[in-house]
């Protein structure tokens, strides 16, 4: 519907919002689907892969908790948490850049 409408010619973009925790094996399944669904021209002009990176969800080193068991405690000083989050953000966005060709939003 979108690709056949006048919207792309008017500069309107289609944001394809993907939530990583909603999928099993997200990075090996969703980006290939996206790349097959939209042409290179569409991905670079009006189709935008929009990912919501939820750092607080899951038990990974980038999440904070009020009790031990994650990457940091929410009560830690920001100066201690900031470097960890900076590394996590850079790592996640590098993966995003590697796996998805075209316009991106986060």
């Amino acid at each position: 519907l979108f690709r056949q409408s006048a919207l792309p010619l008017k500069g309107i973009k289609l944001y394809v919002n993907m939530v990583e925790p909603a999928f099993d094996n997200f990075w090996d399944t969703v980006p290939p689907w996206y790349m097959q669904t939209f042409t290179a021209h569409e991905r670079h002009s009006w189709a935008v892969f929009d990912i919501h990176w939820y750092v607080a969800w899951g038990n990974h080193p980038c999440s904070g908790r009020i009790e031990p068991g994650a990457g940091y405690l929410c009560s830690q000083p920001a100066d201690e948490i900031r470097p960890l989050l900076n590394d996590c953000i850079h790592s996640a966005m590098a993966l995003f850049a590697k796996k998805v060709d075209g316009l991106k939003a986060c």
Side-chain angles (χ1 to χ4, degrees):
L1 266 156
F2 186 91
R3 68 171 44 103
Q4 296 169 345
S5 75
L7 295 173
L9 295 175
K10 293 181 178 185
I12 306 296
K13 296 191 178 354
L14 174 69
Y15 282 74
V16 182
N17 181 253
M18 297 295 181
V19 180
E20 186 176 352
F23 295 89
D24 290 329
N25 205 11
F26 180 89
W27 290 110
D28 291 329
T29 57
V30 177
W33 166 84
Y34 180 78
M35 306 289 258
Q36 292 172 359
T37 301
F38 298 98
T39 67
H41 173 74
E42 291 169 341
R43 292 192 312 269
H44 287 269
S45 59
W46 55 260
V48 182
F49 192 108
D50 179 21
I51 186 169
H52 284 223
W53 186 65
Y54 294 104
V55 68
W57 291 5
N59 290 323
H60 53 78
C62 298
S63 66
R65 299 284 184 263
I66 57 173
E67 296 178 355
Y72 61 90
L73 292 172
C74 295
S75 59
Q76 282 180 253
D79 288 345
E80 293 177 11
I81 298 170
R82 193 174 292 115
L84 171 75
L85 290 179
N86 188 49
D87 290 346
C88 290
I89 291 166
H90 282 282
S91 176
M93 294 306 106
L95 181 61
F96 190 15
K98 177 183 174 184
K99 294 283 190 171
V100 178
D101 176 56
L103 301 174
K104 301 169 194 64
C106 179

